[in-house]
Amino acid sequence: MEHLNSAVQTLIDGSNTLFILLGAVMVLAMHAGFAFLEVGTVREKNQVNALAKIISDFAVSTLAYFFIGYWVAYGVTFMQPAAVLKADHGYELVKFFFLLTFAAAIPAIISGGIAERARFGPQLFATLFIVAVIYPFFEGLVWNGNFGLQAWLLGQFGASFHDFAGSVVVHAMGGWLALGAVLLLGRREGRYRNGHLVAFAPSSIPFLALGSWILIVGWFGFNVMSAQTLDGVSGLVAVNSLLAMVGGTVATLLLGRNDPGFLHNGPLAGLVAVCAGSDVMHPLGALVTGAIAGGLFVWVFTAAQVRWKIDDVLGVWPLHGLCGVWGGIACGIFGQQALGGIGGVSLISQLMGSALGAVVGFSGGLLVYGALKALVGIRLTQEEEYHGADLSIHKIGSVSQD
């Protein structure tokens, strides 16, 4: 019997390790989606820079999270013998890998907002600090119960802040951090003339669409594998993700005037919003959540660019920042049993947790990018921006001139 129990435990540990490893690989693949979404949206003279930023940010994020960030969030360090680290088939190591791909999504999100005029080196320094300190602080607050916030919400309102797969912890944080950076950077040269918006057409709709599709597919690893163990996996999460994605697509199809940029960001808006409550909503609630997120993205992106003159290149603040906050709130609405949800959520806790994520993200963005702006500068010169980040920074363009 003892040998049987040992064999069963070994099978469980190995299966959980493989499960979360597959999730980590799927979310890692999403970073290619971030890259191609940006490559397709920016002008041709900034395509190489977009690709270079995403992979460089991922490398810096890995170092920051391995040595500092994971410890800040979960109190776990990897400065131990390998024999200790391989316990339970190395599950803790693979869990780090999985959560790293979430952490590295923060600078990938920011990259889309600050594209075409941000300096390369200072952005890497910003990534280092954000992934080492700011993001893990909020991640640990929500997902590890640090500093007693979740316990207080539970005691006061009957439920802690629920964010199953990161509508607020990952997406809202990234979007609001990006807003701070975008405002401090200022608008691209020539974006507004005599107070009116000048259209900068995307360089490649096929690349933009490819990026969107890679993100959509990887998102099912992002959401479903957030269970982190096989016994917690749920088909409800998968179907809710699917319907929210479709809801966002249909909303942008109807409201976006057949614009392919809106159409391919609509499913992403729906997926951002459903992350928080994908494990507690009814599928119809997920569909509505995604549809509202798609409409919210179209309206705010248009207003930000035209009326408010916020030059957020990929619209990461409305897509991730606002749709992420909406997702946290929607969890508190559609997670209620009265609306077909599983229950166990508090709307007040969801409102407070979502607002806190926006505040931490925005203030963190102003702090990090404000300090870098004052110390070393964060923007390309006017001449460098005119020639494009590809030639100015990387000394090569995306297309051969032969």
Side-chain angles (χ1 to χ4, degrees), residues 15-237:
S15 298
N16 285 335
T17 301
L18 178 60
F19 174 73
I20 199 170
L21 174 60
L22 292 174
V25 171
M26 289 182 73
V27 185
L28 174 62
M30 291 176 69
H31 289 264
F34 284 119
F36 279 103
L37 192 70
E38 184 172 337
V39 166
T41 304
V42 299
R43 290 169 290 178
E44 192 175 273
K45 62 183 179 179
N46 296 295
Q47 289 181 325
V48 172
N49 181 245
L51 295 169
K53 279 190 299 178
I54 298 299
I55 195 166
S56 299
D57 277 336
F58 188 88
V60 171
S61 295
T62 301
L63 296 175
Y65 201 62
F66 183 84
F67 287 106
I68 304 172
Y70 196 72
W71 172 77
V72 171
Y74 300 102
V76 175
T77 176
F78 297 111
M79 300 300 103
Q80 306 173 54
V84 176
L85 296 177
K86 69 174 289 188
D88 299 330
H89 292 264
Y91 176 82
E92 193 65 42
L93 287 171
V94 179
K95 179 182 176 183
F96 153 78
F97 181 14
F98 180 68
L99 292 173
L100 159 69
T101 59
F102 283 50
I106 300 293
I109 291 167
I110 296 170
S111 176
I114 64 176
E116 301 202 315
R117 76 273 203 204
R119 293 179 61 201
F120 191 63
Q123 169 57 16
L124 294 180
F125 277 104
T127 293
L128 182 67
F129 191 78
I130 288 167
V131 178
V133 180
I134 295 177
Y135 170 74
F137 164 75
F138 190 69
E139 177 189 17
L141 204 68
V142 175
W143 284 344
N144 199 46
N146 296 352
F147 303 108
L149 173 67
Q150 292 285 45
W152 181 80
L153 290 172
L154 177 63
Q156 292 293 314
F157 308 111
S160 56
F161 175 59
H162 186 87
D163 190 359
F164 179 69
S167 285
V168 177
V169 173
V170 179
H171 297 286
M173 276 291 292
W176 285 92
L177 277 159
L179 178 62
V182 165
L183 293 177
L184 287 167
L185 266 173
R187 306 159 189 153
R188 287 169 289 176
E189 293 291 337
R191 182 58 167 158
Y192 297 91
R193 189 174 301 146
N194 299 323
H196 297 289
L197 178 70
V198 176
F200 287 176
S203 59
S204 173
I205 295 300
F207 275 153
L208 188 159
L210 175 63
S212 176
W213 273 108
I214 294 172
L215 286 166
I216 288 168
V217 173
W219 222 295
F220 287 86
F222 197 102
N223 282 4
V224 176
M225 269 77 166
S226 284
Q228 299 188 17
T229 57
L230 271 174
D231 64 346
V233 70
S234 170
L236 180 65
V237 176

Side-chain angles (χ1 to χ4, degrees), residues 8 29 33 41 60 200 282 292-294 319 349 358 380:
V8 169
T41 304
V60 171
F200 287 176
H282 187 278
I292 293 174
L319 180 64
S349 293
L380 297 175

Side-chain angles (χ1 to χ4, degrees), residues 354-376:
S354 300
L356 181 61
V359 169
V360 171
F362 186 55
S363 58
L366 293 176
L367 172 66
V368 172
Y369 287 94
L372 286 170
K373 183 176 181 178
L375 294 172
V376 297

